[in-house]
Amino acid sequence: MAPEAAPRPTRAELRVAAREQSRAQRRDAAKAATRTALLRVALPSVAALGVAAAAAVTVQGEADQQRAQAAGRIPEQTTAAGAPDNAEAQRAEAAGAAQQALASGGGAQASRGDARQPLTGTPGGADPAGQSAAQVTTTDQAPPERPRIAMPVAQHGLGEVFGAAGTHWAKRHTGIDFPVDGGTAVMAVTDGTVRTQWNPSYGYMTILKMADGTEAWYCHLRSYKIRKGTVKAGDVIAFVGSSGNSTGPHLHFEIRPADGGAPVDPLPWFLAQGLDPR
């Protein structure tokens, strides 16, 4: 008896079977894609871990070698030619110095809050050992002492002296003459106060009154520099001329006592002060 033929699937069954097969194929494709992606991620990670591990082993080996060299337990590595590897040695020394600095708390590094300390020795950081003697010596020195008595003009030499007789004077010459050029500076012989006046015989005059009342008369002047006021010995007070009863430019100088008496010879007065106008 012949076997009974299997019934043919219907169209609906064929469509269901096709859908199931398509779903199975999609699941298989998704699984394959997932495996591929996992491999792509995992392989570089493994490679990176291998490089990091190799680097760590290298650093650890170099650190061990540096510590051994510092302790003197192993010889320095050499190149293929047998000479020391200077670059490696320098890197090892630099790494060792950095490690020592870190171990000591970074004492060699400066902090922003650190202030520059002044040099010891004197306040303000001054170091007298590095200064010259002129710098160490005080500069508060007293100014040079002014002369107590000065010459009425800078040029020495006398013309007519005190007491000389001549047709230019009614009696005798009452002072000493300094034959100098017109315009020569006339100076105060000592500290005092000055006033000026005109006299037909003496011409333009400056009268210097000293502290004790003694007066010095400057006669035959061309002009004044100080007409009135206080002066010091050596101050320029006027300029030589030939005014009044005069035959030419010169300075006629007199000394008159405080009691208002007759004029006295100025030469002994100058000599007594340590000055010789001759």
Side-chain angles (χ1 to χ4, degrees):
M1 183 175 183
E4 186 178 356
R8 296 181 63 180
T10 64
R11 290 183 179 180
E13 291 175 344
L14 290 174
R15 284 194 295 270
V16 171
R19 283 197 297 270
E20 292 295 334
Q21 184 178 3
S22 178
R23 290 173 182 170
Q25 290 176 353
R26 285 196 297 270
R27 285 195 297 269
D28 293 341
K31 291 179 181 180
T34 301
R35 287 195 298 270
T36 302
L38 290 174
L39 288 174
R40 288 177 179 175
V41 172
L43 287 177
S45 301
V46 172
L49 289 173
V51 172
V57 170
T58 301
V59 172
Q60 182 63 34
E62 290 180 355
D64 294 339
Q65 179 182 354
Q66 292 165 7
R67 287 193 292 270
Q69 287 180 354
R73 290 196 297 268
I74 62 175
E76 185 178 0
Q77 291 183 353
T78 58
T79 61
D85 188 352
N86 292 332
E88 292 296 336
Q90 292 173 0
R91 285 195 293 271
E93 291 178 1
Q99 290 177 356
Q100 291 178 1
L102 291 174
S104 62
Q109 296 180 352
S111 170
R112 289 186 179 181
D114 292 343
R116 184 172 182 178
Q117 298 299 323
L119 298 176
T120 58
T122 59
D127 185 7
Q131 297 180 347
S132 64
Q135 291 173 326
V136 175
T137 304
T138 178
T139 56
D140 297 335
Q141 297 179 355
E145 186 178 356
R146 294 177 62 91
R148 190 170 62 90
I149 301 297
M151 288 278 293
V153 292
Q155 180 178 329
H156 289 235
L158 297 179
E160 297 293 342
V161 295
F162 181 82
T167 57
H168 295 289
W169 311 289
K171 297 180 179 178
R172 298 279 182 175
H173 193 223
T174 54
I176 55 177
D177 290 347
F178 292 86
V180 293
D181 295 335
T184 300
V186 176
M187 293 169 283
V189 293
T190 188
D191 299 350
T193 57
V194 297
R195 67 182 190 274
T196 58
Q197 66 184 46
W198 164 263
N199 182 281
S201 297
Y202 289 120
Y204 293 110
M205 299 174 56
T206 292
I207 300 173
L208 169 64
K209 188 172 185 178
M210 306 177 193
D212 62 357
T214 302
E215 292 184 346
W217 288 16
Y218 302 81
C219 306
H220 307 304
L221 301 175
R222 173 186 293 179
S223 59
Y224 310 114
K225 183 175 182 181
I226 301 176
R227 288 181 174 272
K228 183 178 181 180
T230 302
V231 295
K232 297 290 185 181
D235 287 349
V236 176
I237 57 176
F239 299 95
V240 171
S242 185
S243 58
N245 185 14
S246 172
T247 58
H250 70 285
L251 174 65
H252 176 86
F253 183 81
E254 291 187 9
I255 291 290
R256 293 187 173 247
D259 58 8
V264 298
D265 188 357
L267 182 57
W269 183 83
F270 278 116
L271 295 176
Q273 306 299 328
L275 295 176
D276 189 350
R278 296 171 296 183

